[in-house]
Amino acid sequence: MSKGRHLLKLIRKTTDCCPMHSQSYNRLSNAPLRKEYAIEMACSAIRYGPGVTEEVGMDLQNIGAERVAVITDGNLVNLPPVQKALNALEKAHVPFEVYDRVRVEAKHFS
């Protein structure tokens, strides 16, 4: 049996969601814990690394975004990271509005 199938089988048998962190893992296997397991959550859309900013337009288009708010400040709006994001939105034909008068600390009167 493959390691992946074995892990899925263990998950189904336990009442806890993860066999590596559950109290019931030891009763399912007498073998000592020797490896770490990585669990990927399909609902997560966090990415990092070179080039990911250029993908933001495609990502928002894929989820059906109709009106996007880009919230930044007067200094950052002209810098490459924000400009790359805006270009990606334009390229993907995603409608957006830029709000660039944001302050570090909001006040009760703002």
Side-chain angles (χ1 to χ4, degrees):
M1 179 182 304
S2 73
K3 291 179 183 182
R5 284 187 182 199
H6 176 69
L7 180 60
L8 290 173
K9 195 172 186 180
L10 288 175
I11 291 171
R12 280 190 224 119
K13 286 183 180 178
T14 64
T15 55
D16 298 309
C17 63
C18 177
M20 300 312 296
H21 297 100
S22 70
Q23 299 300 319
S24 58
Y25 180 75
N26 288 333
R27 78 174 163 81
L28 293 174
S29 171
N30 293 329
L33 182 61
R34 293 185 198 146
K35 296 183 180 183
E36 290 184 19
Y37 288 88
I39 306 291
E40 180 180 349
M41 297 177 62
C43 61
S44 177
I46 298 172
R47 290 192 220 127
Y48 60 93
V52 296
T53 304
E54 285 92 1
E55 297 174 357
V56 71
M58 178 184 64
D59 292 338
L60 291 169
Q61 183 184 51
N62 287 342
I63 64 169
E66 295 178 3
R67 292 174 45 196
V68 173
V70 178
I71 302 171
T72 185
D73 68 21
N75 295 321
L76 293 176
V77 72
N78 297 314
L79 295 179
V82 175
Q83 289 301 308
K84 284 181 185 180
L86 297 179
N87 290 338
L89 292 170
E90 288 174 357
K91 184 177 176 183
H93 306 289
V94 175
F96 65 92
E97 186 77 31
V98 176
Y99 297 90
D100 61 358
R101 293 165 66 188
V102 176
R103 294 188 242 173
V104 175
E105 295 282 336
K107 303 291 184 202
H108 71 281
F109 54 82
S110 63

